[in-house]
Amino acid sequence: MNDENRSELAKGYEHREVEARWYPFWKERGYFHGDEHDRTRPPFSIVLPPPNVTGSLHLGHALTATLQDVLIRWKKMSGFNTLWLPGTDHAGIATQMIVEKELKKTEKKSRHDLGRAAFLERVWAWKEKYGSRIGEQHQALGAALDWERERFTMDEGLSRAVREVFVRLHEEGLIYREKKLINWCPDCHTALSDLEVEHEEAHAGELWSFAYPLADGTGEIVVATTRPETMLGDTAVAVHPDDERYRAMVGKNVRHPLTGRELPIIADAILVDPKFGTGAVKVTPAHDFNDFETGKRHGLEQLTVIDLSGRMNAAAGPVAGLDRFEARKRVKELLAEQGLDRGTKPHALPLGRCQRSQTVLEPLLSDQWYVRIEPLARPAIEAVEQGRTRFIPEAWTNTYMAWMRNIHDWCISRQLWWGHQIPAWYCPDGHVTVAREAPAACATCGKRELRQDEDVLDTWFSSALWPFSTMGWPERTETLRTFYPTSVMETGHDIIFFWVARMMMMGIHFMGEVPFRTVYLHPMVRDEKGQKMSKTKGNVIDPLVITEQYGADALRFTLAALTAQGRDIKLAKERIEGYRAFANKLWNASRFALMNLDGFTVGSDVAPAVARTAADRWILARLQRAVNETTAALEAFRFNDAASTVYHFVWHELCDWYIELAKEALYGDDSANKRATQAILVACLSTAYRLLHPFMPFITEELWHVLRAKVGAEGWPDSVLAAPYPATGPLDEAAERAFGPVIGLVDAIRNIRGEMNIAFKVVLDDVEVGSLDRDAAATVREELGRLHRLANVKDAVVRPAGLPPEKKAASAVAVGAGFEVRVGLVGAIDLQAELGRIDKEIAKLEQDLAGIEKKLENPNFVQKAPPEVVEKDRARAAELHEKRGKLEAHRAMLSGTAGPPSADLARRNAMENEKPQNPNQPASPAQTTIEQAQQVISSVAEVGKAAVSAVVAGAEAAIEKVMPSRKPAQKAKKPAAKRKVAARKAAPRKAAKKAAKKPARKVVKARKPAQKPAKAKRKSAKRR
Ligand SMILES: [Zn+2]
Ligand SMILES: [Zn+2]
């Protein structure tokens, strides 16, 4: 299956075939293995943030895997000893819930029916069956993970690390057990940490007031609450000590209207704001966080009235047994019956919900384990202050700091069965023994009947240890010595607190050093409109479907290309299709090159190419620039810039230009010339594959193998992943500048043809090139033959260096990167046909416009149709108006009824269009002085500018229909084989041929505005 000596590529790029081939190849050869004994290469390590064992690959995983794989492959190719460590998280609540659900469905049993041990057996069985799914999905994506080191948060080693950390923190007084209020989920039946609470800031609720009668019968005191059921747990009423209204009441008691208990009236300046409501507040220490603190200050009774399932317990008197929300209604009724209801008003209140079940949380009083966090947070703050760990994008530093400085103790016990059971044992006397292994006797009294704490640890407790527990801690392993601290933690910014912050604290505390040097937080993936993807909106893009449809390489490249710092990723299917086309392009270009490498062999060097022509020097210079810029972007975590640099080079320079230019030598008779060109092609392709490999690992591996076999490059490594990443080096700006204008000129002339409807067949015999610098002028003269062939030009005139083309009537002018070109249109254009076409286009457009305007004039439609439909029609009408204006302007220009605008206007436009240019970019107008630019542009009629855009934007479809023969402008760019097919296809279109043959009858006057080279590029790419 894996014939490594294949020296031919399949005709079409089939991603399924290619992507099935290479993962086993890399894995079996051990390319993914990080070598802990290797001290010769610098280490580069990443621990994969462990996905939930219950997980199925979603876009967030795909993004994480892509970015980390880009880094790992790039670093490995750059000579680093890389380790990317995989594993999964046991995901306490999520996994337990899945198995519970399954149990209920298939056997109609609850976990309690099975008992703890039997239930846990079921969970392990589930894990064995499904736990490898997420790992396999990562493999399909190409993730170069070191599977020999795969870990699971509940495997034996990691469980040992968890117990070790718990015991040590307990010994150090940093873990304690205490009865406190915690956020409780009555649905999941467990405590939650602050981070697992989803806060709704302003839930639309109501504030209900009622009166407490004074016990001595001297009056009443009115309080307000958003949770009436909690009044059954009230143990005081508080007022402000300075509040004159209540001064006399402090120290007296009120009588509870439903239970008859007496409650003291206390004065508390912290809890009570005298300006809010009546200035009196009910106090429920067992069910409210502020009241809990108040209760501690005043020694109040903590009376629990709600149970773990959210029902009122026996202490709730007349509402005992009711659900908390039913009790809410009932309490109001009961108090109304006693005439104590003092009214209700709407009130926005903060509400906490369970992250998993969305249940409204209940603050409940219970015994839980906590990490005393402040002593751990302090060094983790310092590490970032000192730059031992840095955040990218940097703005996240503040988020991290703010949270760390206001951090609360971390509740780590969960009332679940699936997880690390807390290593604490209780004797009958209530003494607690914390130990690494089950103790034989109570450490305090020596009693032997011990019961282990039934709770398990928060899932995030074990993942906080991930960067070192996975490497063998608490043993001092070689792996830790080599790969800790890890180089990069790459993850979504939504888990900066869950993961990053806690890993920092634990890593520093137990390893004495930060767990990672750099934290790169990637943006969120959203849909093309920037909306969050969700099942209810139906806008979810499933990476598994995408990979099947377009290939993992296309998905990976898309994600990398969209990952810009500080911006959400807006993912559209069209983008993925576009990058799938990029893979196709590379495949086809490679295939063409391979067909023209017969008999060519290379020595052991990867790049043995010597430039002989200006084009050779140019492509090698551009390649070096692409290498330098891609590397710089990767160093700075600018994934989007790295991807777009490679993309631009491969598509727009190597495929569009160099491979086209190479044809002359490849098909020619000069064998030395041919060999030199072949060498450059091989150098460019083999470098491009290596440059692109981290982004598109599968296709580049395939291409590398075939090229290596074809040119007999036995000295090349047998995998592109084992080949060196292209080295940065000095740029050759002179080579870029000299040849850049040749390419710009061909593009510009082809564009003028497209926009003026001049078929490629029509020879342009009045072309003048100017405004070139000295080098470029020499190169253009040397390359004139090529220019003539590629743009079908005869006898082009090259002006002396620095001089612009002469001004002439009936010409189209283009200003480009370091050049200007004038194309005389006499004899090149068929005026009557063009005018006829425009008339037809205007007529059709007016018909459409009339239809829409009639609709918009109808008040019935405007009032009754959905606003977005009306808005769409209005926009369409405006668009048609604009198009008509452009077409009319174009027509006026061609028929000679419009004069040029004043020179002043043109000059002003020229100034406004002036943009700062990067001198290192040869694709920008570099050598043209302002004065020269003005000279040219002042001859450019405003009306002509409109005409050009009209042809491009509005009438393109019409042109395609009437004059398919304008296509040859692009034909020259296609590989030979394709060109033949295209020519055959075009043959039957006689009308088109005729149109092309028809001589132009009349001289027309047409001028063209400054052409932005980038835009021209885009357009030609689109048409292709
Ligand atoms: Zn819940
Ligand atoms: Zn004891």
Side-chain angles (χ1 to χ4, degrees):
M1 178 192 81
N2 211 352
D3 178 8
E4 276 164 50
N5 297 318
R6 276 176 310 124
S7 59
E8 263 174 46
L9 279 182
K11 204 160 182 192
Y13 164 51
E14 292 290 342
H15 66 263
R16 287 181 197 87
E17 232 171 79
V18 171
E19 295 184 0
R21 195 152 30 230
W22 296 111
Y23 201 89
F25 173 86
W26 294 319
K27 201 173 155 187
E28 280 157 23
R29 295 186 172 220
Y31 288 139
F32 299 161
H33 186 62
D35 184 355
E36 69 272 31
H37 302 294
D38 183 350
R39 295 282 191 282
T40 57
R41 294 176 296 160
F44 181 88
S45 57
I46 297 179
V47 288
L48 178 73
N52 284 352
V53 69
T54 51
S56 177
L57 195 84
H58 57 57
L59 272 175
H61 296 127
L63 177 64
T64 290
T66 296
L67 300 182
Q68 294 179 22
D69 198 41
V70 166
L71 293 174
I72 285 287
R73 287 177 186 264
W74 164 55
K75 285 292 183 181
K76 176 175 173 53
M77 294 174 75
S78 303
F80 285 76
N81 179 15
T82 52
L83 166 65
W84 188 16
L85 200 150
T88 42
D89 192 292
H90 65 280
I93 298 185
T95 312
Q96 177 164 324
M97 274 168 68
I98 283 178
V99 179
E100 277 186 292
K101 229 185 230 170
E102 208 180 64
L103 194 62
K104 196 165 185 188
K105 209 171 131 194
T106 57
E107 297 173 43
K108 306 222 170 339
K109 282 182 186 162
S110 77
R111 67 183 155 117
H112 300 283
D113 294 333
L114 260 66
R116 187 166 186 144
F119 178 76
L120 287 178
E121 258 173 51
R122 296 291 179 102
V123 185
W124 277 108
W126 187 94
K127 191 255 170 194
E128 288 314 312
K129 199 166 166 194
Y130 301 106
S132 54
R133 182 179 56 185
I134 187 91
E136 284 154 14
Q137 290 165 341
H138 276 79
Q139 301 200 6
L141 214 55
L145 290 153
D146 185 351
W147 293 105
E148 292 167 48
R149 298 182 193 271
E150 185 181 8
R151 301 307 295 261
F152 177 55
T153 44
M154 282 195 27
D155 69 26
E156 224 181 283
L158 266 60
S159 300
R160 182 180 163 216
V162 163
R163 284 195 304 274
E164 183 66 30
V165 164
F166 188 95
V167 172
R168 282 202 209 170
L169 289 177
H170 184 260
E171 284 167 358
E172 293 164 26
L174 295 175
I175 277 187
Y176 64 95
R177 186 165 185 262
E178 198 174 295
K179 192 187 270 304
K180 287 206 251 189
L181 264 195
I182 38 95
N183 279 302
W184 180 270
C185 177
D187 241 24
C188 303
H189 264 248
T190 184
L192 298 174
S193 74
D194 295 349
L195 280 180
E196 292 160 288
V197 179
E198 270 179 17
H199 294 281
E200 193 182 332
E201 286 313 324
H203 177 79
E206 52 182 42
L207 191 66
W208 174 65
S209 301
F210 68 94
Y212 265 120
L214 292 182
D216 61 9
T218 56
E220 65 175 32
I221 189 162
V222 177
V223 294
T225 177
T226 58
R227 297 189 295 155
E229 70 280 12
T230 61
M231 64 86 69
L232 284 150
D234 286 356
T235 52
V237 170
V239 296
H240 196 276
D242 302 335
D243 194 334
E244 291 299 332
R245 294 172 292 177
Y246 300 112
R247 184 158 294 203
M249 292 186 189
V250 174
K252 288 187 172 184
N253 284 351
V254 296
R255 190 178 41 76
H256 198 286
L258 297 181
T259 64
R261 285 186 290 116
E262 291 203 358
L263 288 54
I265 297 173
I266 59 170
D268 191 284
I270 298 171
L271 180 71
V272 184
D273 172 6
K275 291 189 200 82
F276 182 79
T278 58
V281 179
K282 66 196 264 312
V283 185
T284 327
H287 293 286
D288 180 280
F289 289 99
N290 292 325
D291 293 2
F292 177 75
E293 296 301 326
T294 309
K296 283 211 289 196
R297 285 194 294 275
H298 296 269
L300 298 176
E301 187 193 350
Q302 297 166 338
L303 182 60
T304 297
V305 291
I306 301 172
D307 73 10
L308 301 181
S309 301
R311 288 189 170 273
M312 307 307 290
N313 67 13
V319 295
L322 290 184
D323 171 81
R324 55 187 166 149
F325 297 113
E326 289 164 23
R328 182 167 300 178
K329 284 186 217 141
R330 188 68 190 131
V331 164
K332 288 171 72 173
E333 287 166 10
L334 290 172
L335 266 75
E337 281 166 19
Q338 295 194 27
L340 297 171
D341 185 340
R342 293 292 176 269
T344 302
K345 58 180 183 182
H347 183 72
L349 60 136
L351 205 60
R353 290 179 190 274
C354 169
Q355 202 184 40
R356 196 153 294 278
S357 65
Q358 296 299 311
T359 310
V360 175
L361 296 174
E362 198 60 48
L364 284 189
L365 201 56
S366 64
D367 280 312
Q368 304 287 346
W369 291 91
Y370 293 87
V371 173
R372 197 181 308 283
I373 209 92
E374 198 275 336
L376 295 169
R378 219 178 315 127
I381 291 169
E382 279 168 19
V384 173
E385 281 171 346
Q386 292 163 1
R388 275 149 55 213
T389 293
R390 64 176 181 136
F391 283 86
I392 297 174
E394 213 196 323
W396 290 110
T397 313
N398 291 335
T399 311
Y400 168 87
M401 289 295 192
W403 189 72
M404 291 294 261
R405 287 186 178 127
N406 294 294
I407 199 164
H408 301 292
D409 283 1
W410 174 15
C411 175
I412 50 171
S413 40
R414 297 289 179 275
Q415 287 62 49
L416 305 170
W417 286 354
W418 175 242
H420 299 101
Q421 197 170 350
I422 289 176
W425 285 261
Y426 306 95
C427 80
D429 296 346
H431 303 131
V432 184
T433 305
V434 169
R436 288 166 181 83
E437 304 298 336
C442 172
T444 312
C445 67
K447 284 204 175 121
R448 296 188 156 267
E449 310 97 271
L450 294 179
R451 178 179 57 82
Q452 185 171 3
D453 195 312
E454 291 195 351
D455 292 352
V456 299
L457 288 165
D458 181 3
T459 301
W460 301 101
F461 188 86
S462 47
S463 46
L465 321 180
W466 190 253
F468 56 93
S469 63
T470 51
M471 295 190 193
W473 190 91
E475 303 300 326
R476 296 171 57 87
T477 61
E478 281 297 289
T479 306
L480 278 172
R481 252 193 283 273
T482 305
F483 293 111
Y484 190 96
T486 65
S487 312
V488 177
M489 165 51 55
E490 189 284 332
T491 188
H493 60 69
D494 50 340
I495 50 178
I496 183 171
F497 307 133
F498 284 104
W499 242 332
V500 178
R502 287 169 178 165
M503 285 174 175
M504 284 290 283
M505 293 187 276
M506 293 298 195
I508 293 170
H509 192 74
F510 289 98
M511 290 296 298
E513 185 48 289
V514 294
F516 17 75
R517 294 294 181 201
T518 300
V519 178
Y520 173 81
L521 296 170
H522 65 236
M524 296 293 112
V525 186
R526 295 173 179 272
D527 76 359
E528 55 197 302
K529 293 183 196 118
Q531 291 178 320
K532 213 171 170 178
M533 288 189 189
S534 77
K535 278 187 189 141
T536 43
K537 276 188 211 143
N539 61 352
V540 175
I541 295 181
D542 181 348
L544 300 169
V545 173
I546 294 294
T547 305
E548 171 63 19
Q549 214 174 347
Y550 303 103
D553 279 340
L555 174 64
R556 291 168 57 114
F557 198 89
T558 308
L559 290 173
L562 293 178
T563 302
Q565 284 178 22
R567 239 183 293 150
D568 281 338
I569 294 172
K570 291 184 189 168
L571 185 62
K573 271 216 171 133
E574 293 71 43
R575 294 297 296 259
I576 305 166
E577 282 166 15
Y579 291 123
R580 157 74 211 205
F582 173 57
N584 255 340
K585 181 86 186 170
L586 179 64
W587 185 275
N588 292 335
S590 300
R591 200 160 172 275
F592 168 78
L594 287 162
M595 289 191 299
N596 288 286
L597 288 172
D598 287 341
F600 177 86
T601 53
V602 298
S604 56
D605 293 338
V606 173
V610 180
R612 289 162 61 104
T613 67
D616 293 348
R617 281 191 293 278
W618 172 78
I619 195 68
L620 291 178
R622 296 301 294 165
L623 176 61
Q624 188 61 61
R625 182 179 290 280
V627 168
N628 288 8
E629 288 180 358
T630 304
T631 307
L634 284 173
E635 301 276 9
F637 294 86
R638 287 184 285 111
F639 293 97
N640 57 328
D641 291 340
S644 70
T645 302
V646 182
Y647 176 88
H648 179 78
F649 173 78
V650 168
W651 189 312
H652 295 305
E653 294 179 337
L654 184 58
C655 296
D656 278 0
W657 282 105
Y658 190 75
I659 287 180
E660 288 308 313
L661 298 169
K663 282 176 184 165
E664 288 180 9
L666 294 175
Y667 299 159
D669 300 325
D670 183 336
S671 65
N673 222 354
K674 183 173 173 178
R675 212 198 114 77
T677 303
Q678 286 171 323
I680 304 259
L681 259 185
V682 170
C684 286
L685 286 172
S686 63
T687 309
Y689 300 157
R690 288 181 290 135
L691 200 58
L692 185 57
H693 178 73
F695 303 92
M696 290 186 153
F698 295 105
I699 188 175
T700 50
E701 186 70 81
E702 176 92 3
L703 295 174
W704 173 269
H705 274 259
V706 175
L707 182 65
R708 179 176 179 268
K710 179 81 188 179
V711 300
E714 274 146 29
W716 297 8
D718 65 352
S719 164
V720 64
L721 179 55
Y725 204 69
T728 57
L731 296 171
D732 184 353
E733 288 180 11
E736 292 177 293
R737 255 199 323 269
F739 196 75
V742 177
I743 285 178
L745 280 166
V746 174
D747 254 347
I749 296 169
R750 285 177 179 177
N751 267 309
I752 288 174
R753 282 182 184 279
E755 281 148 12
M756 292 295 150
N757 264 340
I758 306 169
F760 187 76
K761 290 192 163 189
V762 178
V763 180
L764 300 173
D765 56 7
D766 177 18
V767 171
E768 214 184 347
V769 181
S771 300
L772 299 157
D773 73 7
R774 201 171 300 278
D775 286 351
T779 306
V780 171
R781 277 198 196 94
E782 271 168 36
E783 299 284 339
L784 213 51
R786 213 192 292 257
L787 177 68
H788 286 164
R789 279 188 298 277
L790 291 173
N792 198 16
V793 169
K794 200 175 129 204
D795 300 333
V797 173
V798 182
R799 299 274 285 159
L803 291 186
E806 283 181 65
K807 273 188 251 180
K808 271 193 190 167
S811 293
V813 177
V815 181
F819 68 86
E820 288 174 36
V821 59
R822 183 189 61 78
V823 176
L825 297 174
V826 179
I829 195 167
D830 178 349
L831 181 66
Q832 282 324 109
E834 182 66 2
L835 285 174
R837 187 192 62 73
I838 293 173
D839 283 343
K840 249 197 225 163
E841 178 77 0
I842 292 177
K844 183 180 175 302
L845 197 146
E846 274 176 344
Q847 216 177 359
D848 292 352
L849 190 57
I852 294 178
E853 287 188 329
K854 201 173 161 197
K855 240 179 13 177
L856 288 171
E857 279 158 18
N858 178 356
N860 256 344
F861 169 75
V862 177
Q863 279 160 25
K864 285 178 189 160
E868 64 268 21
V869 171
V870 177
E871 206 31 63
K872 212 174 147 192
D873 278 347
R874 286 208 171 110
R876 174 83 182 131
E879 190 189 320
L880 289 174
H881 267 292
E882 199 189 323
K883 261 190 198 170
R884 185 176 63 186
K886 284 176 180 172
L887 282 170
E888 279 168 353
H890 189 195
R891 194 185 194 295
M893 180 201 66
L894 287 179
S895 58
T897 53
S902 77
D904 277 354
L905 175 65
R907 191 168 294 126
R908 206 171 59 230
N909 286 338
M911 298 303 286
E912 278 165 8
N913 288 333
E914 197 69 31
K915 277 186 185 151
Q917 302 291 348
N918 173 2
N920 291 328
Q921 275 291 353
S924 58
Q927 308 302 319
T928 318
T929 64
I930 299 256
E931 200 184 356
Q932 284 166 343
Q934 281 174 354
Q935 235 176 344
V936 174
I937 292 163
S938 63
S939 72
V940 172
E942 184 62 13
V943 75
K945 193 187 264 179
V948 168
S949 39
V951 174
V952 174
E956 202 155 24
I959 297 167
E960 301 280 331
K961 266 183 233 148
V962 181
M963 301 187 81
S965 56
R966 85 177 244 277
K967 283 257 166 179
Q970 273 80 45
K971 265 185 209 158
K973 294 186 181 183
K974 285 181 192 159
K978 269 206 174 159
R979 193 191 320 176
K980 268 182 217 147
V981 175
R984 261 205 307 282
K985 270 190 197 152
R989 296 179 181 173
K990 281 183 188 149
K993 278 196 160 182
K994 243 188 249 166
K997 269 183 199 162
K998 222 185 267 176
R1001 280 179 228 150
K1002 212 172 169 186
V1003 175
V1004 292
K1005 196 171 173 184
R1007 295 192 185 100
K1008 200 173 165 301
Q1011 183 78 41
K1012 281 197 202 111
K1015 198 175 152 203
K1017 279 259 168 62
R1018 261 203 308 284
K1019 265 186 294 177
S1020 50
K1022 200 172 68 195
R1023 289 197 205 112
R1024 226 170 274 128

